[in-house]
Amino acid sequence: MSVAAACSGSEPTFLGKNRITIAHKNDQPGTSYKPDYNYSGFDYLLGTRIVDDLGLQPSRPIDVPSDERVTAITSGEADLVIATFSITEDRMKEIDFVGPYAVTYQGFMVGKNGRDIRTVKDLDGRRVCTWKGTTSAEVLSRQSYDAIDVYERGDASDCLDDVRQGTADAVSTDQMILYGFAGQYAEDRLRVLPDLTVGPPQYYGIGMPKEHRADCERLREIVKDYVNSSDWMADIEETLKLIPTNEEAWQTQYRPTAASIDSRSCRDKPSP
């Protein structure tokens, strides 16, 4: 870009900025992972595509734990949160979402102590780990799952340590996240149960501050184009290889529709 163009104010902006801060998880292989100084994963690739499509200057992402994702937006620490962030009506009261860019269900990943688990009934009396700030513990707190010994840890890596060491029989969270873990730790023979899910679908959205509806709608169209493109498939095949391997109808199951994106993006509550 020429100096004259920059001085004239024609440089691309989003939320009034030409450089935005995106927050990702740092402990979820396949979705957003940072074992050293470099991120990888499906969420990270989406963030880089968005910055490029908006014509913005690249910026180093920041880390965000599950229970601080809304606060990262409302406090101004992050401009966008792309962190396997489920769109919920309660969260939509505080921030805007764009998406979903992926759909998944809550499932289970078992370790060496859970080889005989096939159904929800098989989980009775078993220790199942979830972590703080997610919707997973809420689903398993329902009366129908009272017989399951559910407990919470600080973050995903804690639950992963427990199931690898055998102190937990299973980990429960969104299947997309679980497939990332299973792929990263193949030597531990962790296994996602593809046909065992609980609760409603989880719609992953991009969190952003309210009062920026024009920018929100602009980002919504970028996400719709992305989800409908071959790039969306290629990014999942690159970062979450076990999904295409284990889920025959994965494109239908994990890909949102345009109508789903319209009904949840840039709104204070989902539309019918």
Side-chain angles (χ1 to χ4, degrees):
M1 178 178 293
S2 69
V3 174
C7 292
S8 69
S10 62
E11 192 172 60
T13 63
F14 183 78
L15 304 177
K17 307 175 181 181
N18 59 26
R19 186 190 300 270
I20 59 174
T21 299
I22 300 178
H24 296 296
K25 302 297 294 298
N26 65 5
D27 60 351
Q28 294 179 181
T31 53
S32 49
Y33 190 49
K34 192 184 75 170
D36 43 39
Y37 293 104
N38 298 308
Y39 283 91
S40 63
F42 184 67
D43 284 353
Y44 172 68
L45 291 182
L46 174 57
T48 61
R49 290 185 184 280
I50 285 171
V51 169
D52 186 59
D53 286 347
L54 289 171
L56 303 178
Q57 298 178 25
S59 179
R60 180 170 289 278
I62 63 171
D63 301 341
V64 64
S66 293
D67 57 357
E68 295 180 15
R69 289 174 293 189
V70 171
T71 304
I73 293 293
T74 57
S75 68
E77 182 181 4
D79 299 303
L80 299 178
V81 171
I82 310 176
T84 56
F85 200 5
S86 294
I87 302 171
T88 68
E89 191 162 346
D90 284 344
R91 289 169 176 167
M92 291 174 80
K93 295 173 184 176
E94 298 186 71
I95 63 174
D96 271 347
F97 279 99
V98 175
Y101 59 87
V103 182
T104 186
Y105 282 82
Q106 182 173 338
F108 298 87
M109 180 176 68
V110 298
K112 60 184 179 181
N113 291 342
R115 295 298 172 186
D116 59 335
I117 295 174
R118 296 289 184 274
T119 68
V120 172
K121 189 66 178 174
D122 293 334
L123 292 165
D124 288 357
R126 301 295 188 100
R127 283 174 55 79
V128 177
C129 187
T130 64
W131 56 93
K132 296 178 181 179
T134 70
T135 57
S136 304
E138 297 173 20
V139 170
L140 292 177
S141 68
R142 297 173 183 172
Q143 187 174 0
S144 54
Y145 306 123
D146 279 350
I148 303 175
D149 182 9
V150 180
Y151 69 100
E152 287 189 62
R153 294 277 267 144
D155 56 33
S157 60
D158 292 332
C159 280
L160 183 66
D161 288 343
D162 285 358
V163 78
R164 291 170 69 198
Q165 294 165 8
T167 57
D169 298 297
V171 176
S172 184
T173 191
D174 302 338
Q175 283 187 317
M176 181 173 279
I177 297 172
L178 294 177
Y179 275 121
F181 283 136
Q184 180 73 16
Y185 298 97
E187 72 278 5
D188 293 295
R189 298 184 179 179
L190 303 180
R191 182 169 56 92
V192 180
L193 307 176
D195 300 321
L196 180 54
T197 62
V198 293
Q202 301 297 313
Y203 299 96
Y204 287 164
I206 301 166
M208 63 175 288
K210 286 189 176 293
E211 312 301 332
H212 296 276
R213 286 290 165 86
D215 281 333
C216 186
E217 291 167 1
R218 180 182 169 199
L219 183 55
R220 178 192 64 199
E221 296 310 304
I222 290 174
V223 169
K224 285 167 69 174
D225 288 344
Y226 169 67
V227 167
N228 195 44
S229 73
S230 60
D231 290 334
W232 181 89
M233 292 185 295
D235 287 352
I236 287 187
E237 290 171 339
E238 176 184 342
T239 60
L240 293 158
K241 296 178 175 64
L242 289 182
I243 289 180
T245 300
N246 290 275
E247 304 271 3
E248 185 176 350
W250 69 274
Q251 293 183 39
T252 302
Q253 181 176 339
Y254 288 87
R255 191 202 296 267
T257 64
S260 176
I261 296 171
D262 285 336
S263 69
R264 292 171 176 81
S265 297
C266 314
R267 298 177 181 272
D268 297 324
K269 61 180 181 180
S271 68

